Amino acid sequence: MTEMSGADMVVQALVDLGVDTVFGYPGGAVLPIYDALFNHPTIKHVLVRHEQAATHAAEGYSRSTGKPGVVLVTSGPGATNAVTGITDALLDSIPMIVLTGQVPTNLIGTDAFQECDTVGITRHCTKHNYLVMDPDRLGAIMHEAFYIATHGRPGPVVIDIPKNVQVATGKYRVPEKIEHQSYRPQVEPDADAIAAAIDMIAAAERPIFYTGGGVINAGPDASAALRQLVSLTGAPVTSTLMGLGAFPSDDPKWLGMLGMHGTYESNMAMNRADLIIAVGARFDDRVTGRLDAFSPDSKKIHIDIDRSSINKIVPVDLAIVGDAGRALDALTAAWQDKGHKPRDLGEWWRRIDGWRATRCLDFPEKKDAAADIMPQRAVKALFDATRGRDPIITTEVGQHQMWAAQHFGFSAPNRWLTSGGLGTMGYGFPAAVGAQIAHPGRLVICIAGEASLQMNIQEMGTVSQYRLPVKIFILNNEWMGMVRQWQELTYESRYSNSYSDSLPDFVKLAAAYGWTGLRIDTLGELEAGIQAMIDTPGPVIVDCRVAKLANCFPMIPSGAAHTDMILQPNDITGTMDDEAKALV
Amino acid sequence: MKIKTEAGERHVLAVTVDNEAGILAKITGLFSARGYNIESLTVADISADHALSRITIVTSGPPAVIDQIIAQLDRLVPVHQVTDLTDHGAHVEREIALVKVAGTGDKRIEALRMADVFRAKVVDTTLTSFIFEITGTSDKVDRFIALMRECGLVEVGRTGVVAIGRGAEAL
């Protein structure tokens, strides 16, 4: 137990907790902590250009490493700017610690300069939050906050530290056992439930694994356990947007992503299955489509670390609360103990192959060198060109995100960073910054839309400052494409404010920040352009001009069932009723 | 298009929480953010070291929503335990109301007579007013207040429901 200032305690706790990187932006109310970080030998501070980007960079760092991301911002606007990223981390279950400065305790509640009610504002977008009023409590709170952020269902924790608490001295205590006095998430699955699950899987004629971000969060071992269980049972696998990478996309048992822009075979298999094994996925509305038509004839097993995810949207027959990895290990062990052999699923696979034969991800395109580039082609070319380089891919939000999810293949977890739950435009570029900081030698590519990218484009300065070789690959169609697509489907193509007017010249913008800028205009330039991006050292922005009016298919329109997919643009007919229009 | 709502049933939940700043806001915020009903909510510190509070929430909703409310409360970090007393078995519910009635003559006499029937206590009196303290289930308190409206009711304060399971066992 040592007497030290609150600011020194924060830094000491970060060191003790193994933190090597902090993403942040200084300001009046955090100056003592910034001073304590000055020339720090082990903690690297990454200065962003906007606090929202600090939170997304921390998410990118976390999602690509499995470690919690750490953010340091000032009071008032520093904290409010961080709120979007904090909420994003809550919805996608990303462990994150956000340290916010606060006005001194004697000024709290007086509308002081740069004061806001940070704990009030973040109460419902954090897993937990603290306002530290006593420097003696600061050390214990730091350790407890890391415990909470990383145990159970991960999430963001805010620690709001008044400036006088940073300056005052207190006793730095590392708790002997680091945990929370009452927060005890259930990690180990119930053995009886595991046994019951095994019986259900062994008896199923049309089983399917539906996996989600929980498998990624449970660590690489969970992905390995999933692969083993799938190979033992012989069942097909689909995954949510957040779960991509847990199961290899080149495995014959992989059906592709499911849901609104998922594959035909995934959605049909979910609909016709007699058993769904949901692992670390939460039956999100993007996944289920119309609820009363969702997988009507199946039994459902739901494995989730968060009890509140169970029966929230879809009632299930068997709930297993626990860590996805532990549950998958337990299922594998129980399967082997009972000496189960894979059931003959030949008939099921024949039906799946029938759905696969629709080749739902195919798209019409012209093949001559002067032709417009179809955005799907651009993603496929990027995937082909980076095979074997084990790239980390981030995305913004919109059509390009869905095309990336459909056409870029992943064979391992922690390579796919995207904003799924909150759907935050402006996530992808700063997330790439965080991933590149964590993996300096890796190829990190942000697949972006020209509209989303502009939401945090100021981070080009951060990339230049830290000499990060981040690549931004813009699918530039001059539209907020997903908004336009919905306007075509729902509002008779009245394009209200969805055109990306007054775009910057991205190549000149690159030059202005000391980056390399490349532009790709035609199909004939695509492969060479991508190769040039990969071969160019340092940061590169690629303005890849794509066909302007391409839309993202397949698609389950809002209010429709899995079996009512739109496969191609000319399948669109009729108008939507208000019930469907009211769905997001 | 019309927005549909689902009918629900009344449940009484006992929630044990860390007695820390912001916990009440966290719980009431959860109810408003997720669109759950609160019919009444009471909270007070219940442990010798002032570390724990017990919150009694009366809510209503379809069974699946009640199940979600319990799960959502249970995953809040400062929440130790959530018990659905309505599902748990027999329990006792009580609420206190202070009821001020002003008037003279027959109405005043009638108010006092009915207070006696309801076993309400007189805790303050002037020549023109009474304050009654009534304890009972919410139904009983409702009925008493309804009668007092006819007898010069001027002000009501209610505690909301506290509840506890019957028998020797603690939660």
Side-chain angles (χ1 to χ4, degrees), chain A residues 393-444:
Chain A
I393 301 295
T394 77
T395 76
E396 303 288 347
V397 169
Q399 283 182 326
H400 70 275
Q401 177 191 30
M402 293 298 114
W403 283 317
Q406 291 172 336
H407 296 281
F408 207 100
F410 295 91
S411 51
N414 307 105
R415 270 80 171 165
W416 166 249
L417 321 180
T418 195
S419 170
L422 196 63
T424 309
M425 292 171 74
Y427 164 90
F429 177 29
V433 171
Q436 189 79 77
I437 291 274
H439 305 276
R442 293 272 290 276
L443 177 62
V444 179

Side-chain angles (χ1 to χ4, degrees), chain A residues 123-124 181-182 306 308 312, chain B residues 18 25-26 29 68 71 75 80:
Chain A
R123 187 166 285 132
H124 305 294
Q181 54 173 341
S182 61
D306 182 355
S308 76
K312 180 169 71 173
Chain B
D18 286 327
K26 191 147 183 95
Q68 260 301 298
R75 75 179 187 141
H80 291 234

Side-chain angles (χ1 to χ4, degrees), chain A residues 123-124 127-128 148 153 180-182 306-308 312 578-579 582, chain B residues 1 18 20 22 25-26 29-30 67-68 71-72 75 77-78 80:
Chain A
R123 187 166 285 132
H124 305 294
K127 186 173 174 189
H128 195 48
I148 289 170
R153 182 175 179 173
H180 186 267
Q181 54 173 341
S182 61
D306 182 355
R307 175 14 205 129
S308 76
K312 180 169 71 173
D578 284 352
E579 302 277 346
Chain B
M1 189 187 79
D18 286 327
E20 64 183 33
K26 191 147 183 95
L30 184 154
D67 185 59
Q68 260 301 298
Q72 292 290 348
R75 75 179 187 141
V77 170
H80 291 234

